[in-house]
Amino acid sequence: MFSGMFWTKNISSITNIKCTSYQFGAFFQSKRWKNGPSHWAVEKKNQTAIYKALEHFDDFYSSVYGKTWKSIRVALLSPQKYCAVINNYDNSEATATLLKNEGAFNMRDAIKGQKNQLKKQSEELKRKKELDAVHAMDRKLEKITQNKEHEELQTLYPKNVCIPDQVIDKEFLCNDNSIDWSRQIDSKSGLSTTALYDFIPTSKLKGREDWVSESEHYSYYEKYLKVPIDVAHEDDLNFPEHLQVYSFETSNVSSFQEPQRGSTGVFNYYLMNASSLLPVLALNLAPGDRVLDMCAAPGGKSIIALQTLYPDLLVCNDSSRSERLKRVLKDYFYNLKQVKFTMRDGRFIDETDLFNKILVDVPCTNDRLSVNKNDNNIFKKTRLKERFRLPELQADLLSNALKLITVGGTVVYSTCSLSPIQNDGVVQMALRRIWEESNHRFVIKDLKNALEPAKLFYRFGETFGMKYGHIVIPYLPANFGPLYFCKFVRIE
């Protein structure tokens, strides 16, 4: 039997010892072993919603995003990055000075500067191409002249006789009619036989073994047939003059101070994930707009829309969190005459020909929240059926928005999920329904060129097979997102 166990007085001075005791006067160190998979603590951990979300994402997203998923996963589990939306209903100039002193940048000014720089580079590239075309034409004319001189010389010599080197450049060889000289490669052109491989189809692209093919990427919803849809390029993303948003530069992980109430009694700025700015910018708000925020809670995107000072009417609707939405907006606005709050199921809103701008920021798996918080997590066992029905709910909401929008109006659909089912998949389902159930015609806006200057702050997932929309991919230097958005404009 052990004679007894006691701690030494100077145990704090002993390093790398987790447990000590005396056994028959002998001093020894005990080792802590990890619990096995059947241990109650491990089983309890494996039952949490966070664990279930990570397990699901590891299985699903690794097949969609390949090796990139590892870096996305790290970013999702790390603190997200915020931007500060200045409140124009407070002392906006003082707030802007405060944020500048903290080292933040005005996103509108930075994106505008990047846009001008890209425009300058594009113009220089265009001029270079024009000069290259002129030089190519000069070389072609020079070649034609040389060929003409060669033909004239040929008239002075009998057939099958070599033209003396003194008379013509050594580039021209004997006039042998048995050789088709037009199919030869000029050694002076810099071309080699490897250039011919550009025209030989390959069975596999080396270095792209981790690529997920388009057919596999969209196999999750192949049952939804393709529908005729027009896609139009949009080259500019309008950033309203009165909308002031500040963020820290890429790789700067500084945090903003908590907002403070100013002299008017409202908070001086609103903190949010900067990716949420993009769906509102995609609406291209203008003075006099009548806007519906179909799923408005907690209110961040509604705040952005109001800070543009453009809408004549903003309907903030949410089926379950309307009171919370009111409290948030009252913290930032002392005059809400143009705002109307409703608490309706967005699938059944029926005010047609009223709204020319509709934002459909649907309920989703909320990937960042799902891997960080157990509270209100969509991966809880009690919410299993709700999670499985999300794509159907999302398609219903988007379909109704597409029915409500006026001709010439804009609908923007968005999620904070990386799931291709909830993103392009839902867009495809909704388009199919509209095509079958109405005479409405839409064009989807390709914003790739318009988003190019915004790469100063965001990382876009341009190589993951998006057919309709655009997605912000989380990564540590600029840990925004995830956020997917797609822009529709009704043309009939």
Side-chain angles (χ1 to χ4, degrees):
M1 297 291 294
F2 293 103
S3 60
M5 187 185 344
F6 59 93
W7 299 98
T8 63
K9 292 183 179 180
N10 296 323
I11 192 68
S12 61
S13 64
I14 302 175
T15 60
N16 299 324
I17 297 179
K18 295 186 178 180
C19 180
T20 58
S21 65
Y22 280 97
Q23 182 181 15
F24 299 102
F27 182 76
F28 73 94
Q29 176 183 352
S30 63
K31 184 176 181 179
R32 181 178 179 181
W33 299 94
K34 290 185 178 181
N35 297 322
S38 59
H39 191 274
W40 66 268
V42 176
E43 290 182 346
K44 183 177 180 180
K45 175 187 175 183
N46 293 352
Q47 291 173 357
T48 63
I50 288 177
Y51 179 85
K52 293 294 183 184
L54 278 171
E55 185 179 45
H56 173 77
F57 294 156
D58 285 339
D59 178 60
F60 184 25
Y61 292 160
S62 61
S63 67
V64 176
Y65 295 98
K67 294 180 180 178
T68 308
W69 165 240
K70 291 182 180 179
S71 64
I72 296 174
R73 190 184 196 272
V74 171
L76 284 175
L77 292 170
S78 303
Q80 65 177 317
K81 197 171 181 179
Y82 289 89
C83 71
V85 181
I86 291 181
N87 190 358
N88 288 311
Y89 288 74
D90 191 55
N91 190 339
S92 58
E93 293 183 2
T95 304
T97 301
L98 172 67
L99 296 176
K100 288 177 183 176
N101 291 338
E102 290 184 8
F105 289 85
N106 187 316
M107 293 183 69
R108 183 188 65 247
D109 293 345
I111 290 175
K112 182 179 179 180
Q114 181 70 359
K115 186 188 302 182
N116 292 335
Q117 182 67 24
L118 291 172
K119 183 179 179 181
K120 182 179 178 181
Q121 293 176 0
S122 177
E123 290 174 349
E124 291 176 353
L125 181 60
K126 183 179 179 181
R127 284 196 298 269
K128 184 178 182 300
K129 288 182 178 180
E130 290 174 349
L131 288 173
D132 289 344
V134 171
H135 293 158
M137 180 62 69
D138 290 342
R139 289 193 295 271
K140 186 175 180 180
L141 291 173
E142 182 181 355
K143 191 69 175 177
I144 291 173
T145 302
Q146 290 177 351
N147 289 341
K148 188 66 175 176
E149 292 175 354
H150 179 256
E151 291 174 2
E152 292 175 354
L153 287 171
Q154 285 285 11
T155 61
L156 303 176
Y157 292 88
K159 290 185 179 181
N160 302 322
V161 175
C162 288
I163 302 173
D165 290 343
Q166 309 92 293
V167 179
I168 190 167
D169 193 287
K170 291 182 179 180
E171 179 183 352
F172 297 100
L173 304 177
C174 296
N175 183 18
D176 187 349
N177 294 328
S178 65
I179 301 176
D180 185 358
W181 296 101
S182 65
R183 299 178 64 84
Q184 304 306 306
I185 296 178
D186 184 0
S187 61
K188 295 183 179 180
S189 65
L191 295 174
S192 66
T193 54
T194 57
L196 298 177
Y197 288 103
D198 292 340
F199 303 93
I200 300 176
T202 58
S203 58
K204 185 177 182 180
L205 291 176
K206 287 309 225 176
R208 301 297 296 278
E209 290 82 1
D210 61 326
W211 178 257
V212 180
S213 68
E214 185 174 304
S215 58
E216 183 179 350
H217 186 103
Y218 287 93
S219 62
Y220 312 112
Y221 41 88
E222 284 180 343
K223 63 180 181 179
Y224 296 99
L225 301 177
K226 293 181 179 179
V227 296
I229 186 70
D230 296 323
V231 177
H233 293 278
E234 191 165 297
D235 296 329
D236 190 32
L237 191 68
N238 180 41
F239 207 120
E241 178 184 356
H242 299 292
L243 181 59
Q244 299 186 74
V245 185
Y246 280 76
S247 178
F248 295 106
E249 62 185 331
T250 300
S251 300
N252 186 342
V253 295
S254 301
S255 300
F256 289 103
Q257 299 177 14
E258 289 297 317
Q260 302 295 323
R261 292 190 184 272
S263 57
T264 58
V266 295
F267 285 111
N268 55 350
Y269 55 82
Y270 183 82
L271 294 177
M272 64 189 307
N273 190 306
S275 61
S276 297
L277 178 68
L278 295 173
V280 183
L281 294 182
L283 280 173
N284 195 23
L285 294 175
D289 279 342
R290 302 177 307 281
V291 185
L292 168 63
D293 192 348
M294 187 175 277
C295 310
K301 295 180 179 65
S302 291
I303 288 176
I304 295 174
L306 288 170
Q307 292 300 339
T308 66
L309 308 182
Y310 285 159
D312 275 358
L313 170 67
L314 173 63
V315 175
C316 298
N317 177 75
D318 199 273
S319 60
S320 59
R321 298 178 290 175
S322 182
E323 291 303 317
R324 178 188 175 188
L325 183 60
K326 288 180 183 178
R327 289 196 300 271
V328 170
L329 264 66
K330 286 181 179 179
D331 280 336
Y332 287 87
F333 304 95
Y334 50 80
N335 182 0
L336 292 171
K337 291 182 179 180
Q338 74 272 43
V339 181
K340 180 180 179 182
F341 296 96
T342 58
M343 191 173 175
R344 302 173 62 182
D345 188 326
R347 294 173 293 180
F348 307 116
I349 295 176
D350 55 2
E351 284 86 354
T352 58
D353 297 324
L354 176 60
F355 305 106
N356 68 323
K357 302 286 172 69
I358 301 180
L359 177 62
V360 193
D361 186 42
V362 295
C364 64
T365 49
N366 200 337
D367 295 356
R368 187 180 288 275
L369 176 67
S370 293
V371 299
N372 285 287
K373 293 184 179 180
N374 279 312
D375 294 340
N376 200 32
N377 196 312
I378 193 69
F379 283 87
K380 283 187 174 181
K381 289 183 177 180
T382 54
R383 302 185 70 184
L384 184 63
K385 291 183 178 179
E386 180 184 353
R387 177 160 60 88
F388 285 161
R389 291 173 180 169
L390 273 177
E392 181 181 355
L393 170 63
Q394 294 163 344
D396 287 344
L397 290 166
L398 177 55
S399 298
N400 195 40
L402 294 175
K403 292 176 182 176
L404 295 177
I405 197 68
T406 59
V407 176
T410 300
V411 173
V412 174
Y413 170 79
S414 65
T415 78
C416 45
S417 171
L418 292 162
S419 169
I421 301 175
Q422 299 176 61
N423 298 335
D424 268 9
V426 166
V427 170
Q428 187 166 299
M429 285 187 274
L431 288 172
R432 178 70 183 178
R433 292 185 191 177
I434 291 297
W435 184 65
E436 292 177 338
E437 299 172 5
S438 74
N439 294 322
H440 294 4
R441 282 189 59 211
F442 290 88
V443 61
I444 287 183
K445 292 292 187 175
D446 182 351
L447 300 172
K448 182 179 179 180
N449 294 337
L451 294 172
E452 194 68 26
K455 290 181 180 178
L456 201 62
F457 294 98
Y458 305 99
R459 183 186 184 190
F460 295 102
E462 298 175 340
T463 60
F464 298 114
M466 296 292 116
K467 283 189 173 182
Y468 303 112
H470 307 271
I471 191 165
V472 177
I473 300 294
Y475 82 123
L476 285 178
N479 201 1
F480 299 128
L483 184 128
Y484 168 92
F485 64 105
C486 183
K487 179 176 181 177
F488 308 78
V489 174
R490 183 180 171 187
I491 55 179
E492 284 184 13

